[in-house]
Amino acid sequence: MTVLTKKAGGRHGEVPSSARVGPGYGSPGRPEPPADADLKVALVGAPNVGKSTLFNKLTGAYVTVSNYPGTSVGVDRGHGELGDRAVEFIDTPGMYSLLPTTEEERVARRIVLEGAADVVVQVADAKSLERALPLTLQLLEVGRPLVLAVNMMDEAEALGLEIDVALLEERLGIAVVPVVAVKGQGLDALAVAVEREVASPPPVRPVYSNGVGEAIDRVRGRLQGAYPVDPTVFASLLIQGDAEAAEWVATAEPDEGDAAVSEVESATSEFADTAIYRVAYERHRASEKALEGAVRGGDEEAESRSFRTWLGSALARPLIGIPFLLVVLYLGLFKFVGEFGSGTVVDWLETTVFENGLNPIFQSAFETIIPWPWLQGLFVGEYGLLTLGVRYAVAIILPIVGTFFLFFSILEDSGYFPRLALLVDRLFKKIGLSGRAVIPMVLGFACDTMATMVTRTLETNRERVLATLLLALAIPCSAQLGVILAILSGSGAALAVLVGVIAGVFLLVGWIGSKVLPGDAPTFHMELPPMRMPTFGNVMTKTTSRMQWYFMEVLPLFLLASVLLWAGDLTGILEVVLAGMTPIVGVLGLPAETAEAFLFGFFRRDYGAAGLFDLNQEGLLSVRQLTVAAVTLTLFVPCVAQFLMMLKERGVKTAMAIFLFTVPFAFGVGALLNQVLRGFGW
């Protein structure tokens, strides 16, 4: 690919040393972020354009995640350097337009419209600039310093595309910087562009034809209030019927926006089409005009014949997509997570590291240090912090979660998930969800707590509630699933029953929920990124950060559970509770010892699965009992962390309703399954 750029003295001349990108805070030699940043830079753009990859390159290791005020949407913030400036980078949620359809898009828009950043950097895919430029034009209306970072230039080169960067930035009136975020290429030029745009006058607003530009100017002339950014963008949003923009204008204007609203009706009265369509059409035409001659080449036939393109298309079709999905699940979940993670690695940690190594040392040390057996039990013994809590977290849960997150990150980096969303969209529509819901559902197999948080990306409240219910009921987290796969790996029939029952419950409850819950049926649209070979560095970064997050969440809960179990055992309360649960597990055809595993499950479902693992190791359960226990535990109550996330995301009423439904439902399904398996002679 030939990338034509301006030379020295232009936008992309030699990079001055004072403007080079420095290491992110948290990198070696720079352990702490600055108290105050000199500059705030917001990264915006559509999903799957490499925004987060660029963010990670710019910020290094120090990243904080916090909810945007008044919402439950998390926003990543990190610190780095541009020359001598300390910079705070904001990684906004994916956004296709300043007219939002999801809560995440609303948050991204608010960051832009509230002027939260000194500079906005729009990240775009070099292979599909025609889809990115309509958002660029909207960002020009905001009137803030703007830089267009054209990412994935290496992939554009492979398709034979030539991008005349100098011509494109001349037409847009802003800096246009070619980058390859995964390789860190173009970051110094990006630093130069950001520095220059900060010192430059506001960008020139785009010009629209066929009455659209005139209508925006007329409404803009009626806005007299104080706004954090150029009121032009609010005029544009008013014309398109945006309710939130209307509320903003009503608050800012002395006449509560009456003059502006009246002008909107007058200015759009002669439009042949709806105002929202007319504005979108004119933006599309303006984008095409800006790109004319600036993007050349590209062998579309070669692209359509390429293996990656063929594979990406085939994976979204049932004939190839379903067999491929089954192979991925078999190799990834059963063989890698189930056999290797929860088998080989867990066995080594359980037996070699803890049972034969650490546990005897802990036991001897605390018997020497603490003379009272009752207090020794707090640290070592059946419910000890070290011999139960730490052992479960490190030896059983962590390797299973780690192997799953590695598997998940590879699939995520390859671009497979959007294809999977298209593949299951038709089926999901029958249970009240869209293909978009496959993302939190798949993530639920890693951690239901994170997945519950991700349901906020779904478009309707009905879909979010239904997805939360199905995550709490029928999606086991990786730690729980890995343990169960290890337990049932010796019986193909038992695994088939487990999968069949859980899938049946998922579809049945989803279908009933879609009929009972009020609301409109979901719509579905998703950007399809190209299929890629996963990058080792990206995969390991994602895997490590997710493992760290999960471990920091799970370890305190496991230790708390150990303390409560120790205290309950010491006071006799535990014996009373287990005695009360014995008849319940008896209905399931399970021995009394299983009550302890279900009690563990009240703290965390993966904690309960680890207890079931111990019972299986002791040979206390038959294949039928293992199958019934595994199914019931999978359908059991959500763990503490997930329940707290449900309260936060869905509210007390909905969270409690889901909790009170799952408990009797799980035991009811378990009791029925026990009778059915008995009838078949298990």
Side-chain angles (χ1 to χ4, degrees):
M1 174 182 62
T2 304
V3 179
L4 306 177
T5 62
K6 293 183 179 179
K7 303 302 180 183
R11 291 186 181 270
H12 302 294
E14 183 179 351
V15 180
S17 60
S18 62
R20 296 187 187 277
V21 176
Y25 288 90
S27 303
R30 191 173 292 275
E32 296 296 334
D36 296 301
D38 298 329
L39 192 69
K40 290 187 177 181
V41 176
L43 304 180
V44 305
N48 302 311
V49 295
K51 209 160 26 65
S52 295
T53 302
L54 180 60
F55 174 78
N56 291 334
K57 291 290 183 182
L58 291 169
T59 58
Y62 187 88
V63 177
T64 59
V65 183
S66 59
N67 287 346
Y68 196 76
T71 75
S72 57
V73 175
V75 175
D76 292 344
R77 298 176 184 269
H79 292 81
E81 287 182 341
L82 293 177
D84 296 329
R85 287 181 183 263
V87 180
E88 179 183 10
F89 294 96
I90 308 170
D91 185 14
T92 66
M95 174 174 62
Y96 294 99
S97 166
L98 290 183
L99 281 175
T101 58
T102 67
E103 188 180 4
E104 289 201 328
E105 284 188 306
R106 288 186 181 90
V107 166
R109 181 176 80 162
R110 284 177 58 186
I111 291 173
V112 172
L113 296 187
E114 290 175 354
D118 301 301
V119 183
V120 175
V121 174
Q122 181 193 358
V123 185
D125 185 344
K127 306 181 301 302
S128 55
L129 285 177
E130 70 282 356
R131 291 201 292 271
L133 250 60
L135 176 59
T136 309
L137 298 180
Q138 294 175 71
L139 293 172
L140 285 171
E141 295 171 6
V142 175
R144 304 287 286 185
L146 177 65
V147 175
L148 179 61
V150 183
N151 191 25
M152 306 179 193
M153 294 294 285
D154 53 338
E155 295 180 4
E157 180 180 12
L159 298 177
L161 284 172
E162 296 181 1
I163 301 177
D164 191 334
V165 172
L167 179 59
L168 189 57
E169 63 182 12
E170 179 182 338
R171 289 175 175 174
L172 294 175
I174 58 172
V176 180
V177 183
V179 298
V180 181
V182 295
K183 300 177 182 177
Q185 295 177 3
L187 300 191
D188 288 339
L190 182 62
V192 173
V194 168
E195 289 276 13
R196 195 192 63 252
E197 292 299 327
V198 170
S200 300
V204 178
R205 292 190 281 112
V207 178
Y208 302 120
S209 305
N210 294 324
V212 170
E214 180 185 351
I216 293 175
D217 288 339
R218 286 174 57 182
V219 177
R220 166 69 179 83
R222 294 287 188 171
L223 300 179
Q224 305 301 319
Y227 296 88
V229 295
D230 192 326
T232 300
V233 68
F234 291 97
S236 175
L237 292 170
L238 278 179
I239 287 174
Q240 297 171 84
D242 185 85
E244 190 175 343
E247 293 177 3
W248 199 315
V249 169
T251 302
E253 294 297 316
D255 65 349
E256 297 184 347
D258 291 341
V261 171
S262 177
E263 192 65 50
V264 167
E265 295 174 357
S266 173
T268 60
S269 61
E270 297 181 2
F271 285 176
D273 305 297
T274 61
I276 189 171
Y277 173 80
R278 173 53 56 189
V279 173
Y281 181 73
E282 290 305 319
R283 280 207 185 99
H284 179 70
R285 287 184 56 183
S287 299
E288 286 185 331
K289 187 175 181 180
L291 289 172
E292 185 178 349
V295 179
R296 301 186 295 273
D299 188 345
E300 294 184 3
E301 291 186 6
E303 180 184 358
S304 65
R305 294 194 304 268
S306 70
F307 175 74
R308 287 196 304 175
T309 303
W310 174 86
L311 180 62
S313 176
L315 292 181
R317 302 175 186 274
L319 184 62
I320 294 178
I322 292 176
F324 183 86
L325 174 61
L326 294 176
V327 171
V328 167
L329 292 177
Y330 174 76
L331 294 177
L333 288 182
F334 183 72
K335 300 297 288 185
F336 184 59
V337 179
E339 289 191 1
F340 176 71
S342 61
T344 305
V345 181
V346 168
D347 286 347
W348 178 74
L349 287 172
E350 268 271 279
T351 305
T352 305
V353 176
F354 275 87
E355 289 183 10
N356 299 334
L358 295 177
N359 282 2
I361 296 174
F362 293 150
Q363 191 78 33
S364 176
F366 279 94
E367 286 177 356
T368 302
I369 297 171
I370 301 175
W372 307 285
W374 64 269
L375 188 55
Q376 293 172 9
L378 175 61
F379 302 97
V380 294
E382 188 176 4
Y383 303 117
L385 287 168
L386 298 174
T387 52
L388 181 69
V390 173
R391 178 173 66 87
Y392 272 16
V394 175
I396 299 178
I397 303 304
L398 192 61
I400 298 171
V401 169
T403 50
F404 182 89
F405 278 142
L406 180 58
F407 164 64
F408 183 88
S409 298
I410 291 172
L411 291 184
E412 183 182 39
D413 220 43
S414 69
Y416 175 64
F417 284 144
R419 274 82 185 172
L420 180 59
L422 283 178
L423 180 66
V424 304
D425 181 58
R426 181 175 298 180
L427 173 63
F428 272 32
K429 288 284 176 61
K430 296 183 183 300
I431 59 173
L433 300 173
S434 69
R436 181 188 292 270
V438 78
I439 305 300
M441 292 301 159
V442 173
L443 185 57
F445 286 104
C447 176
D448 281 308
T449 304
M450 281 198 298
T452 302
M453 182 174 63
V454 172
T455 58
R456 64 176 63 138
T457 62
L458 304 179
E459 293 189 7
T460 67
N461 184 63
R462 174 177 181 257
E463 198 176 4
R464 291 191 287 268
V465 170
L466 189 54
T468 302
L469 168 62
L470 293 175
L471 284 168
L473 181 66
I475 303 295
C477 68
S478 59
Q480 180 188 8
L481 181 62
V483 173
I484 289 174
L485 288 175
I487 292 172
L488 299 182
S489 59
S491 173
L495 277 174
V497 169
L498 173 72
V499 172
V501 172
I502 299 303
V505 165
F506 180 88
L507 296 175
L508 177 63
V509 173
W511 180 77
I512 294 174
S514 69
K515 304 299 181 184
V516 173
L517 292 174
D520 298 326
T523 58
F524 176 62
H525 64 275
M526 178 172 283
E527 189 83 10
L528 277 182
M531 295 294 292
R532 302 185 182 93
M533 182 65 69
T535 305
F536 177 79
N538 287 347
V539 168
M540 295 310 298
T541 298
K542 292 176 182 179
T543 302
T544 303
S545 63
R546 285 167 175 160
M547 284 178 65
Q548 182 181 11
W549 178 88
Y550 190 89
F551 187 71
M552 294 304 293
E553 178 202 81
V554 76
L555 182 60
L557 291 173
F558 276 26
L559 296 178
L560 174 62
S562 294
V563 172
L564 293 176
L565 289 169
W566 167 79
D569 183 48
L570 193 65
T571 59
I573 296 176
L574 181 60
E575 185 177 349
V576 174
V577 173
L578 292 176
M581 292 183 64
T582 300
I584 300 176
V585 298
V587 174
L588 304 178
L590 301 175
E593 292 85 351
T594 318
E596 194 171 90
F598 283 101
L599 181 60
F600 289 178
F602 275 111
F603 298 104
R604 283 191 65 95
R605 285 194 291 186
D606 44 5
Y607 203 1
L612 203 61
F613 181 87
D614 280 349
L615 291 175
N616 181 57
Q617 292 289 86
E618 296 170 12
L620 297 177
L621 300 173
S622 66
V623 174
R624 173 181 58 80
Q625 290 172 326
L626 278 173
T627 306
V628 172
V631 168
T632 308
L633 197 60
T634 300
L635 300 175
F636 201 36
V637 295
C639 69
V640 172
Q642 185 183 357
F643 181 67
L644 292 175
M645 185 62 69
M646 287 165 52
L647 288 172
K648 180 180 178 183
E649 295 286 328
R650 304 284 87 86
V652 175
K653 184 178 178 181
T654 301
M656 287 303 301
I658 292 174
F659 184 89
L660 294 175
F661 170 75
T662 55
V663 176
F665 184 86
F667 282 105
V669 171
L672 178 61
L673 178 62
N674 179 55
Q675 295 303 318
V676 171
L677 294 181
R678 280 184 181 275
F680 281 96
W682 279 41

